[in-house]
Amino acid sequence: MIYFIGAGCGDPDLVTVKAQKILQKADAVLYTGSLVPKEVLSWCKDDAIIEDSQGMKYPEIFAFLKKQKDKVVARVHTGDPSIYSTIAKQIEFLQKENIPYEVIPGITAAFGAAASLGIEYTIPGVSQTMILTRVEGKTPNPESLENILACKNSSLVFYLSILLLEKLKKKALKLGYSKDTPCWVVEKATWKEEQIFKGTISNIQKQVSHIKGVALILLGDFLKQEETQESHLYVKPLVKELKADNEQ
């Protein structure tokens, strides 16, 4: 069985119990070395085959998975395997080879960053939609940046885009975003080395120009964390009605 494991966004304590159990019994482990904390591998057996997939191309990854197919294999990805992990291509290969697999979810960086910041992405009257995306670089993005930024009432989170922050800034301002629109960057969310930078779309770049690695960009008025209308679930009239119904 091949297990695709989401190792979470950085803090090894955020790895799920199920993922930890798989790592403890895995005969072979293939992990993304540049992104997965080494502490995650501390649960592996002493005799487990452990290889770093950093620098590997698909044929090499496929060959490893096929070679170990009769063993318990943990294919460890950062964050959650459903987001920017390339598991679709790997699963396609496994299906063709009739090799069984299972996906174990993990905490993606967007949620780790929100926890570190103490924020909510869905603010009544401000944003009820969250968009996880990236600024187009070498990898084409079918959804244009203009169309993504047109969703001004959404909570925008950009992965893999820290080196394209200038492009994001220019597009946002061109599309009518205020220079004061909150824009925050979380570098290595939940890692020990985590750094948080808060600014606006017009000035955040000066604070984060040194970052070359893993970082998230959060953009939008939701960062103000100010409701413009009350949630109907918690407004007083509804609370009174629920209390009256319970008493009856």
Side-chain angles (χ1 to χ4, degrees):
M1 174 74 80
I2 310 293
Y3 293 93
F4 291 96
I5 290 176
C9 42
D11 184 348
D13 287 342
L14 295 178
V15 173
T16 64
V17 173
K18 185 171 185 179
Q20 184 181 14
K21 289 179 178 178
I22 296 300
L23 286 167
Q24 288 171 338
K25 70 177 184 179
D27 302 305
V29 178
L30 185 63
Y31 73 103
T32 310
S34 60
L35 300 172
V36 174
K38 295 295 189 294
E39 292 91 337
V40 172
L41 303 178
S42 65
W43 296 310
C44 299
K45 298 188 297 185
D46 291 339
D47 60 347
I49 299 168
I50 301 177
E51 288 197 22
D52 185 350
S53 64
Q54 186 177 8
M56 281 187 177
K57 303 300 182 183
Y58 280 127
E60 297 167 282
I61 293 173
F62 296 161
F64 180 91
L65 297 178
K66 187 173 183 178
K67 183 179 180 181
Q68 309 296 337
K69 67 178 183 178
D70 295 324
K71 301 176 181 178
V72 176
V73 180
R75 175 66 175 112
V76 186
H77 285 276
T78 185
D80 182 89
S82 67
I83 300 176
Y84 300 117
S85 67
T86 72
I87 69 165
K89 196 79 173 177
Q90 296 173 71
I91 288 176
E92 180 184 16
F93 168 78
L94 295 178
Q95 290 175 335
K96 289 179 179 178
E97 295 291 327
N98 293 314
I99 299 173
Y101 65 89
E102 181 179 337
V103 180
I104 300 174
I107 297 176
T108 188
F111 301 137
S116 295
L117 292 166
I119 63 167
E120 180 181 351
Y121 285 113
T122 50
I123 304 298
V126 178
S127 174
Q128 293 293 289
T129 301
M130 180 184 179
I131 297 177
L132 305 181
T133 186
R134 65 184 297 177
V135 178
E136 184 177 59
K138 293 181 180 179
T139 302
N141 190 343
E143 305 88 2
S144 71
L145 185 55
E146 287 85 354
N147 287 339
I148 293 168
L149 290 171
C151 302
K152 291 184 178 180
N153 293 327
S154 298
S155 302
L156 303 177
V157 181
F158 294 89
Y159 283 69
L160 308 168
S161 301
I162 193 63
L163 299 180
L164 298 167
L165 187 51
E166 175 66 18
K167 181 178 180 179
L168 174 60
K169 169 188 171 181
K170 288 181 177 179
K171 289 285 186 181
L173 294 176
K174 185 178 180 180
L175 289 171
Y177 277 71
S178 165
K179 292 182 179 180
D180 297 325
T181 302
C183 186
W184 298 355
V185 171
V186 181
E187 181 183 16
K188 288 195 168 184
T190 77
W191 290 63
K192 292 179 182 179
E193 305 92 333
E194 177 188 80
Q195 294 288 319
I196 294 172
F197 304 89
K198 296 182 179 182
T200 66
I201 190 59
S202 62
N203 65 28
I204 188 64
Q205 193 171 7
K206 296 178 182 178
Q207 299 184 52
V208 300
S209 59
H210 64 284
I211 301 177
K212 308 299 180 185
V214 182
L216 279 182
I217 304 169
L218 288 72
L219 175 65
D221 286 332
F222 75 96
L223 290 170
K224 297 175 183 177
Q225 297 290 286
E226 298 173 356
E227 297 182 0
T228 59
Q229 66 181 57
E230 291 183 310
S231 168
H232 288 289
L233 182 60
Y234 297 107
V235 292
K236 291 183 178 180
L238 181 56
V239 172
K240 289 181 179 179
E241 290 176 12
L242 291 173
K243 184 178 180 180
D245 289 341
N246 291 332
E247 290 176 348
Q248 292 176 4

